[in-house]
Amino acid sequence: MNAPIVQSTQGVTLAGGGPFSARDLKLALARAPVAVAADSGADRLLRFGVAPQAVIGDMDSISDRARAEIPQERQHFVAEQATTDFDKALRLIAAPLVLALGFAGARLDHGLAAMSTLIARAERRCILIGPRDLAFAAPLRLELALREGDPVSLFPMAPVTGRSEGLEWPIAGISFAPDGMIGTSNRALARRVVLELDGRGMLVILPRRRLDAAIKALLAAP
């Protein structure tokens, strides 16, 4: 299955089965108003009074109650077991932006799998929102409007090199790799931070309070 299940000109809030709050959901829906669930994320949306426009996944964890409440035509079974429900959903959503909730906080293996999916599906502009931070796959060029002192962590999921402006510790000349040099706990020295990367594979991790800055930067990236 390659054709998108969800096609939207608006942003999509994608809910997973991990924990997130009503406040998190309100934050995301205000910016990405189309609600979609990955498998048991449907139960969490319904708990907060939100009916998903689509449910995508292998349907091994959605409750019988949610199945009964959501119209059958909105339930999309994807049988293969080689990928996670986050990956299945993300690759089958065509939208300018996806804000993902409930994928980063419950289990380490699920969180790592979600980070891997961000890189594998980097053509989908997706921001993973966690309890304190947010993460997204860096495009080849990114310009962020931040505040001085904001944490800016760069975590390579593959070998990556590049250049930066506005960071306390510039990245030029550094060969990043997941088993070598990483870039956690860098900081913004200026209100404008620019990253230019020579390839894909870098995660950008920012505080949640910079969600709007991350959205603006991703949507403007080439």
Side-chain angles (χ1 to χ4, degrees):
M1 184 183 294
N2 296 311
I5 288 170
V6 176
Q7 299 187 63
S8 176
T9 58
Q10 297 179 294
V12 168
T13 292
L14 177 61
F20 60 87
S21 68
R23 178 176 173 269
D24 295 335
L25 184 57
K26 182 178 179 181
L27 176 83
L29 287 174
R31 294 156 176 80
V34 179
V36 175
D39 207 331
S40 62
D43 289 270
R44 294 195 173 271
L45 287 178
L46 292 173
R47 188 177 308 163
F48 294 126
V50 175
Q53 297 300 303
V55 184
I56 302 170
D58 57 21
M59 305 301 183
D60 65 350
S61 55
I62 186 173
S63 70
D64 291 340
R65 179 181 177 183
R67 278 180 177 273
E69 190 169 338
I70 297 166
Q72 192 65 39
E73 63 270 18
R74 294 187 181 186
Q75 300 180 40
H76 302 275
F77 175 65
V78 183
E80 57 91 358
Q81 294 291 314
T83 61
T84 64
D85 285 321
F86 179 45
D87 187 287
K88 292 179 181 73
L90 191 58
R91 75 172 186 255
L92 295 171
I93 293 171
L97 174 72
V98 176
L99 299 182
L101 298 171
F103 297 98
R107 286 172 44 177
L108 285 176
D109 57 344
H110 287 179
L112 287 169
M115 299 293 181
S116 178
T117 295
L118 287 178
I119 297 300
R121 306 294 171 193
E123 76 281 0
R124 304 296 202 227
R125 302 200 175 194
C126 178
I127 299 175
L128 191 69
I129 301 175
R132 297 180 60 185
D133 306 299
L134 59 87
F136 58 91
L140 297 182
R141 190 179 191 281
L142 183 73
E143 185 170 334
L144 288 159
L146 301 176
R147 293 189 180 181
E148 294 180 31
D150 277 346
V152 181
S153 287
L154 303 175
F155 195 95
M157 301 291 283
V160 187
T161 58
R163 294 151 299 284
S164 65
E165 296 176 29
L167 290 179
E168 184 169 357
W169 293 283
I171 68 171
I174 298 175
S175 296
F176 291 97
D179 61 349
M181 182 65 73
I182 60 175
T184 57
S185 299
N186 210 328
R187 282 194 295 269
L189 279 186
R191 296 181 68 88
R192 177 176 175 268
V193 170
V194 179
L195 298 175
E196 293 183 343
L197 301 170
D198 298 320
R200 305 287 183 178
M202 185 71 85
L203 287 174
V204 179
I205 303 172
L206 300 172
R208 271 177 52 134
R209 64 181 179 272
R210 297 296 169 251
L211 175 59
D212 288 334
I215 291 172
K216 183 177 179 179
L218 264 187
L219 292 180

